[in-house]
Amino acid sequence: MANTPQVRFFLGANAPTGFYSLYDQLIDLENAQVLYLLKGGPGCGKSTLMRRVAQRLEEAGHTVEYIQCSGDPDSLDAIVDSELGAAIVDATAPHVVEPTCPGALEHYVNLGDCYDSASLRPMRNQLAEAMAGYKDCYRRAYRCLTAASEIRADLRSLLETPELEEKMLRRARGILSRECRRTGKEPGKAVQRFLNAVCCQGAVCNFSTADALCTRIYALCDTYGLAHPLLTALASGAMAAGYDVIVCPDPTQPDRMAHVLIPSLSLGFVSSTPEQPYPGRPYRRLHLDAMADRALLRLRRARLRFSRKIAGALTQEAVEAMAQAKEMHDALERLYNPHVDFGRVEATAEEIASSLLAL
């Protein structure tokens, strides 16, 4: 299992409207067997517990889906074992998850019990001071992302025409006729996952996840964010043909698609931009820029270049604000960590892993 690429997604996004959650799609609740909801504050071992359980599941031959933190991809917010119908999730803010059938399906795990409260009590003022400013950093980040989103929307409006949309729909129909033969089954379902994130590390994309799930990748070369109509048609057509799809919204504009994956066909469509180019060797490349009206591109080249530059600068400002928030959070965790019983965290992880493997 060590050489198997890990499947990594995000279920939250730092979007212009604030934190955008897809945690209601963590797992199919109708077919789920168990969902563990982790509670506890900073540094209490939530991510540590999930990594340990994931390790045990992988050692037993299971495939684990990792849900990364949208603020810090090095931290985990959830793990999912679809084969077992099981998941573990950090159910604290901003991605609060509430039970639908507590006890029968969901189980609370209070890692706050692993704190040494007696040693933390004298540190109360120091802890409160360390927490100050964290939310202010994110408010600044969201303001920058809002401005960048408005500029990108204006940029697209310079090129989006009915003729461009018709070209994309024709291309989608051609791809579907070639790649998605009808199964005769009921229409497929869609689940949403973010493949991208704007976070403390910059704008990141888990292209390796697309490669792990799909051996055939269409790279959509897209400088101006035009892929949404094409991806919408591809996702709808694949579902109509009977295939389940993973729809990956753009985290900076969650109402627009950035990627579509069809694992049962080992087929993926990923946006490849100048800022985040697809690093692999694609099955095929589609140059979406070439579908835009050439006269419009020439006429508006200077404005398009300026808009991309300003949107990029605003996004970088948001990244820097989130990096500052990460520094504050790390400092807070360093205060808490010496006062956490990690032996108890490990024991809880072993208990949960054994319970899952006994399902």
Side-chain angles (χ1 to χ4, degrees):
M1 295 298 295
N3 295 324
T4 303
Q6 291 182 342
V7 173
R8 294 179 174 272
F9 287 109
F10 302 92
L11 277 177
N14 296 305
T17 54
F19 183 79
Y20 189 97
S21 176
L22 294 176
Y23 278 83
D24 60 336
Q25 300 193 41
L26 172 67
I27 193 170
D28 179 2
L29 292 178
E30 289 186 4
N31 298 309
Q33 297 297 311
V34 62
L35 176 58
Y36 289 97
L37 308 181
L38 304 184
K39 295 292 185 179
C44 69
K46 298 187 291 293
S47 193
T48 298
L49 180 146
M50 285 187 275
R51 291 187 192 283
R52 179 56 186 149
V53 174
Q55 179 185 354
R56 282 285 311 277
L57 293 175
E58 289 181 335
E59 288 171 350
H62 291 256
T63 298
V64 176
E65 176 186 352
Y66 292 81
I67 303 300
Q68 295 168 281
C69 172
S70 58
D72 175 15
D74 291 334
S75 182
L76 283 181
D77 277 349
I79 60 170
V80 182
D81 186 328
S82 296
E83 179 186 349
L84 292 176
I88 307 173
V89 60
D90 176 352
T92 61
H95 34 75
V96 175
V97 178
E98 294 294 349
T100 60
C101 198
L105 174 61
E106 295 96 349
H107 301 273
Y108 282 113
V109 179
N110 182 15
L111 292 183
D113 286 343
C114 298
Y115 286 134
D116 180 354
S117 297
S119 62
L120 286 171
R121 197 170 294 116
M123 300 170 57
R124 178 175 175 180
N125 291 339
Q126 187 181 5
L127 294 171
E129 183 179 339
M131 291 180 186
Y134 179 84
K135 291 183 179 179
D136 287 339
C137 287
Y138 267 93
R139 279 192 283 267
R140 176 171 166 243
Y142 293 144
R143 287 194 295 269
C144 291
L145 291 173
T146 298
S149 178
E150 291 295 328
I151 290 172
R152 290 193 178 99
D154 179 68
L155 184 154
R156 288 194 310 273
S157 72
L158 299 177
L159 298 176
E160 289 176 330
T161 63
E163 292 77 17
L164 174 60
E165 185 170 355
E166 181 55 35
K167 283 183 183 179
M168 290 194 178
L169 293 179
R170 284 201 304 270
R171 183 60 63 89
R173 286 193 290 267
I175 293 171
L176 290 167
S177 66
R178 191 168 58 245
E179 304 284 7
C180 298
R181 297 174 182 254
R182 291 192 171 273
T183 63
K185 300 178 182 178
E186 292 292 318
K189 297 179 180 179
V191 64
Q192 292 190 77
R193 295 284 192 269
F194 288 111
L195 200 63
N196 302 62
V198 179
C199 62
C200 66
Q201 298 177 10
V204 301
C205 184
N206 287 327
F207 284 121
S208 61
T209 291
D211 291 334
L213 295 174
C214 306
T215 58
R216 293 180 299 144
I217 296 289
Y218 279 72
L220 311 181
C221 301
D222 185 12
T223 302
Y224 305 108
L226 304 174
H228 176 71
L230 176 67
L231 292 168
T232 300
L234 290 169
S236 298
M239 286 189 289
Y243 300 99
D244 293 341
V245 303
I246 302 173
V247 171
C248 302
D250 181 341
T252 65
Q253 302 161 100
D255 59 333
R256 297 179 64 86
M257 294 187 196
H259 320 278
V260 170
L261 308 177
I262 314 173
S264 61
L265 290 174
S266 199
L267 182 65
F269 303 89
V270 301
S271 293
S272 179
T273 68
E275 296 79 16
Q276 289 183 303
Y278 174 66
R281 178 176 294 180
Y283 173 63
R284 291 193 176 171
R285 291 187 192 274
L286 296 183
H287 293 275
L288 303 193
D289 298 355
M291 296 186 190
D293 187 296
R294 292 185 180 181
L296 283 178
L297 280 171
R298 285 195 301 271
L299 180 64
R300 295 168 176 171
R301 182 174 288 115
R303 185 173 170 186
L304 291 168
R305 187 184 300 117
F306 176 77
S307 294
R308 288 185 59 231
K309 180 179 179 180
I310 296 301
L314 286 165
T315 300
Q316 184 56 37
E317 282 290 314
V319 168
E320 291 176 7
M322 285 185 275
Q324 291 176 2
K326 169 70 163 53
E327 291 176 2
M328 295 176 184
H329 188 266
D330 287 350
L332 186 62
E333 288 200 332
R334 285 193 295 271
L335 290 174
Y336 271 105
N337 281 165
H339 308 284
V340 175
D341 184 350
F342 282 100
R344 188 170 177 179
V345 173
E346 288 284 343
T348 304
E350 289 295 325
E351 181 182 338
I352 291 174
S354 297
S355 177
L356 291 177
L357 292 171
L359 289 175

